[in-house]
Amino acid sequence: MKLHELAPAAGSREDGYRVGRGPASGNGKTSGRGHKGQKSRSGYSRKRGFEGGQMPMKIRLPKRGFNNRFAAPLTAVNLKAFESFEKGAIVTAETLLEKRILRKCPHGLKVLGNGEIKVAFTIVADSFSASAKEKIEAAGGTCQLKS
């Protein structure tokens, strides 16, 4: 295959809508915009969510609760993700990123209690669930809060 032989898949591309090319085109005279009215004028654009004067959906639906734009949610990791660590290791968000257990951890780490651990090691995180803390300490490990 050569560069000049490249072509899109058959039927994946459609010709553009050519307006203002005379009556034979099917879109002559008013260019498919109909006669007069706001939508026929140049520069017309409808606002996002406009429903033709009907009460818009965003206003019709009830509003509940609060969504904090400035919240910094912690990245949750279950105990079963720590099975690959050896005895005595110090596990931080950075080590989880290096081992590719996490893809990103922008605001901090929270350890959750799903899974079992049998090896004792230290986990440094911003938060621990009660069950995770219990299981880590039962295995002989320690939970350190990141300061």
Side-chain angles (χ1 to χ4, degrees):
M1 176 170 278
K2 297 180 181 88
L3 200 59
H4 70 275
E5 294 173 345
L6 289 175
S12 68
R13 296 192 46 104
E14 226 174 79
D15 289 339
Y17 190 71
R18 297 190 64 194
V19 295
R21 294 294 189 281
S25 70
N27 302 306
K29 192 176 175 249
T30 56
S31 299
R33 289 175 177 253
H35 292 276
K36 299 186 181 177
Q38 186 177 14
K39 284 167 37 179
S40 71
R41 311 295 181 192
S42 68
Y44 169 75
S45 64
R46 187 180 292 142
K47 287 187 172 70
R48 255 184 310 128
F50 182 70
E51 296 185 24
Q54 171 177 295
M55 186 63 70
M57 183 71 80
K58 64 182 180 214
I59 297 174
R60 287 198 307 265
L61 294 175
K63 275 74 171 168
R64 295 247 327 128
F66 171 73
N67 201 355
N68 187 359
R69 295 181 350 194
F70 305 106
L74 298 176
T75 304
V77 178
N78 280 304
L79 282 179
K80 63 183 170 190
F82 296 99
E83 291 170 353
S84 62
F85 290 97
E86 62 281 342
K87 186 175 182 179
I90 296 174
V91 182
T92 63
E94 288 75 32
T95 55
L96 292 173
L97 289 166
E98 284 169 20
K99 282 207 169 196
R100 303 209 176 183
I101 293 170
L102 292 180
R103 282 191 300 129
K104 56 186 176 179
C105 186
H107 304 296
L109 184 69
K110 179 169 183 168
V111 180
L112 304 179
N114 188 3
E116 296 296 324
I117 57 167
K118 294 161 184 70
V119 183
F121 46 78
T122 303
I123 301 177
V124 181
D126 295 278
S127 179
F128 294 90
S129 71
S131 62
K133 196 167 192 173
E134 188 179 297
K135 288 178 183 180
I136 293 164
E137 288 169 353
T142 56
C143 301
Q144 281 185 11
L145 287 174
K146 194 174 180 182
S147 54

